[in-house]
Amino acid sequence: MRTRLIFVRHGESLHQLEGIVGGPRGCRGLTALGHEQAHDLANRLTGDVAADGPVAVYSSVLRRAVETAQPIGAALGVRPVADCGLCTWHTPPYADGLPTARFRTEHAVAGGGVFRPFEEGNESWAELVVRVSRAIMEIAHRHRGATVVLVGHSETVEGAFHALAAQPIFRAFDLDVPPASITEWTTDHDPGGWPPARWTLRRFADTGGWPRA
């Protein structure tokens, strides 16, 4: 009874190019290239997932992830479910739409790090990891024995390393997760069992030939 979790980082987004904090208001969705990437992802996943039994699609609630998930869901014949647990940083309302550089400098918190926010009112890294990991495990438990596509952000993909590979909250390495990339984990164990299931990383940051920048 294999469970597949296929993580997709959203396509190229306007907030990336503009260098602003892309919260619920600041995110204006995908660029033209990002929409093209989303449709390419849908085509890639159709052949990979369609004949693999039950499938579900989830996305974060942010527009860039929702717009990436829509063609994927349409291609797989399912309606994507928005889950805020899969979101990137839950930045404070005042920062939404601010230039990212300004947010990180003018609102920096002294001593910010793993358990203390980097910026005023922001989540700490530990809080983000717990939130994303809990969402991943709830979805895995809900769809055990099935394939799930989870469309989110680089932090969503990073969260999988904590939720599924038992990495410490403060990892000794960084991850480069390009837009429109696929990362896949599988397990033949019960995702909700104890001791925790052992997961296998099948592929990481697979762009299918798209530029990484």
Side-chain angles (χ1 to χ4, degrees), residues 6-13 15-16 37 41 64-65 68 72 150-157 176-183 212:
I6 300 175
F7 293 83
V8 172
R9 187 186 172 193
H10 61 80
E12 182 186 77
S13 63
H15 95 286
Q16 286 178 279
Q37 291 171 328
L41 282 164
R64 56 192 181 272
T68 304
I72 295 173
L150 302 93
V151 184
H153 312 265
S154 58
E155 292 81 12
T156 317
V157 178
D176 179 14
V177 186
S181 63
I182 293 173
T183 297
R212 295 179 66 83

Side-chain angles (χ1 to χ4, degrees), residues 131-154:
R131 170 174 57 79
V132 173
S133 296
R134 178 171 181 172
I136 291 170
M137 296 312 299
E138 289 288 348
I139 291 169
H141 178 71
R142 191 177 306 140
H143 297 281
R144 53 191 179 277
T147 296
V148 187
V149 180
L150 302 93
V151 184
H153 312 265
S154 58

Side-chain angles (χ1 to χ4, degrees), residues 103-153:
F103 177 50
R104 291 176 176 172
T105 55
E106 295 183 10
H107 299 278
V109 172
V114 177
F115 299 103
R116 183 172 168 80
F118 287 103
E119 300 88 12
E120 298 167 0
N122 203 4
E123 285 184 301
S124 69
W125 175 249
E127 289 169 327
L128 183 150
V129 167
V130 170
R131 170 174 57 79
V132 173
S133 296
R134 178 171 181 172
I136 291 170
M137 296 312 299
E138 289 288 348
I139 291 169
H141 178 71
R142 191 177 306 140
H143 297 281
R144 53 191 179 277
T147 296
V148 187
V149 180
L150 302 93
V151 184
H153 312 265

Side-chain angles (χ1 to χ4, degrees), residues 198-209:
R198 289 190 64 85
W199 291 81
T200 299
L201 179 62
R202 299 289 178 182
R203 48 181 163 166
F204 170 70
D206 176 8
T207 61

Side-chain angles (χ1 to χ4, degrees), residues 24 43 46 48 53 57 90 96 99 112 125 136 140 146 156 165 178 186-187 207 209:
N43 291 333
T46 298
D48 187 28
V57 178
H90 280 174
D96 198 357
W125 175 249
I136 291 170
T156 317
T186 67
T187 185
T207 61

